mmCIF file of all heavy atoms in Angstrom:
data_model
loop_
_atom_site.group_PDB
_atom_site.id
_atom_site.type_symbol
_atom_site.label_atom_id
_atom_site.label_comp_id
_atom_site.label_asym_id
_atom_site.label_seq_id
_atom_site.Cartn_x
_atom_site.Cartn_y
_atom_site.Cartn_z
ATOM 1 N N ALA L 191 -47.017 151.791 -103.988
ATOM 2 C CA ALA L 191 -46.841 150.386 -103.673
ATOM 3 C C ALA L 191 -47.415 149.484 -104.719
ATOM 4 O O ALA L 191 -46.739 148.512 -105.144
ATOM 5 C CB ALA L 191 -47.490 150.085 -102.312
ATOM 6 N N TRP L 192 -48.674 149.708 -105.163
ATOM 7 C CA TRP L 192 -49.220 148.929 -106.252
ATOM 8 C C TRP L 192 -49.130 149.661 -107.515
ATOM 9 O O TRP L 192 -49.933 150.573 -107.868
ATOM 10 C CB TRP L 192 -50.666 148.602 -105.866
ATOM 11 C CG TRP L 192 -50.780 147.785 -104.675
ATOM 12 C CD1 TRP L 192 -51.271 148.161 -103.483
ATOM 13 C CD2 TRP L 192 -50.530 146.357 -104.548
ATOM 14 N NE1 TRP L 192 -51.212 147.084 -102.572
ATOM 15 C CE2 TRP L 192 -50.817 145.965 -103.265
ATOM 16 C CE3 TRP L 192 -50.094 145.436 -105.514
ATOM 17 C CZ2 TRP L 192 -50.549 144.669 -102.785
ATOM 18 C CZ3 TRP L 192 -49.817 144.117 -105.009
ATOM 19 C CH2 TRP L 192 -50.136 143.747 -103.729
ATOM 20 N N GLY L 193 -48.124 149.313 -108.279
ATOM 21 C CA GLY L 193 -47.805 150.082 -109.526
ATOM 22 C C GLY L 193 -48.693 149.793 -110.739
ATOM 23 O O GLY L 193 -48.773 150.558 -111.644
ATOM 24 N N ALA L 194 -49.322 148.654 -110.685
ATOM 25 C CA ALA L 194 -50.032 148.235 -111.914
ATOM 26 C C ALA L 194 -51.307 147.529 -111.568
ATOM 27 O O ALA L 194 -51.340 146.488 -110.879
ATOM 28 C CB ALA L 194 -49.138 147.305 -112.761
ATOM 29 N N HIS L 195 -52.455 148.005 -112.087
ATOM 30 C CA HIS L 195 -53.725 147.365 -112.021
ATOM 31 C C HIS L 195 -54.109 146.863 -113.386
ATOM 32 O O HIS L 195 -54.228 147.646 -114.342
ATOM 33 C CB HIS L 195 -54.820 148.275 -111.497
ATOM 34 C CG HIS L 195 -56.212 147.748 -111.704
ATOM 35 N ND1 HIS L 195 -57.107 148.345 -112.516
ATOM 36 C CD2 HIS L 195 -56.794 146.588 -111.308
ATOM 37 C CE1 HIS L 195 -58.256 147.646 -112.469
ATOM 38 N NE2 HIS L 195 -58.052 146.580 -111.778
ATOM 39 N N LEU L 196 -54.316 145.604 -113.580
ATOM 40 C CA LEU L 196 -54.645 144.992 -114.869
ATOM 41 C C LEU L 196 -55.656 143.885 -114.721
ATOM 42 O O LEU L 196 -55.385 142.883 -114.015
ATOM 43 C CB LEU L 196 -53.320 144.392 -115.474
ATOM 44 C CG LEU L 196 -53.571 143.784 -116.919
ATOM 45 C CD1 LEU L 196 -53.932 144.834 -117.894
ATOM 46 C CD2 LEU L 196 -52.202 143.145 -117.339
ATOM 47 N N ASN L 197 -56.821 144.091 -115.270
ATOM 48 C CA ASN L 197 -57.906 143.086 -115.238
ATOM 49 C C ASN L 197 -58.293 142.546 -113.815
ATOM 50 O O ASN L 197 -58.277 141.345 -113.572
ATOM 51 C CB ASN L 197 -57.528 141.841 -116.164
ATOM 52 C CG ASN L 197 -57.523 142.350 -117.623
ATOM 53 O OD1 ASN L 197 -58.044 143.342 -118.004
ATOM 54 N ND2 ASN L 197 -56.833 141.561 -118.399
ATOM 55 N N GLY L 198 -58.460 143.458 -112.877
ATOM 56 C CA GLY L 198 -58.845 143.011 -111.610
ATOM 57 C C GLY L 198 -57.656 142.501 -110.753
ATOM 58 O O GLY L 198 -57.995 141.956 -109.629
ATOM 59 N N VAL L 199 -56.426 142.651 -111.138
ATOM 60 C CA VAL L 199 -55.257 142.145 -110.348
ATOM 61 C C VAL L 199 -54.339 143.323 -110.120
ATOM 62 O O VAL L 199 -54.009 144.026 -111.062
ATOM 63 C CB VAL L 199 -54.607 141.077 -111.078
ATOM 64 C CG1 VAL L 199 -53.383 140.533 -110.270
ATOM 65 C CG2 VAL L 199 -55.553 139.817 -111.336
ATOM 66 N N LEU L 200 -53.858 143.472 -108.867
ATOM 67 C CA LEU L 200 -52.916 144.434 -108.522
ATOM 68 C C LEU L 200 -51.509 143.863 -108.584
ATOM 69 O O LEU L 200 -51.273 142.705 -108.110
ATOM 70 C CB LEU L 200 -53.142 145.033 -107.172
ATOM 71 C CG LEU L 200 -54.424 145.857 -107.019
ATOM 72 C CD1 LEU L 200 -54.788 146.032 -105.557
ATOM 73 C CD2 LEU L 200 -54.346 147.215 -107.716
#
Side-chain angles (χ1 to χ4, degrees):
W192 295 105
H195 166 240
L196 182 63
N197 295 342
V199 181
L200 294 166

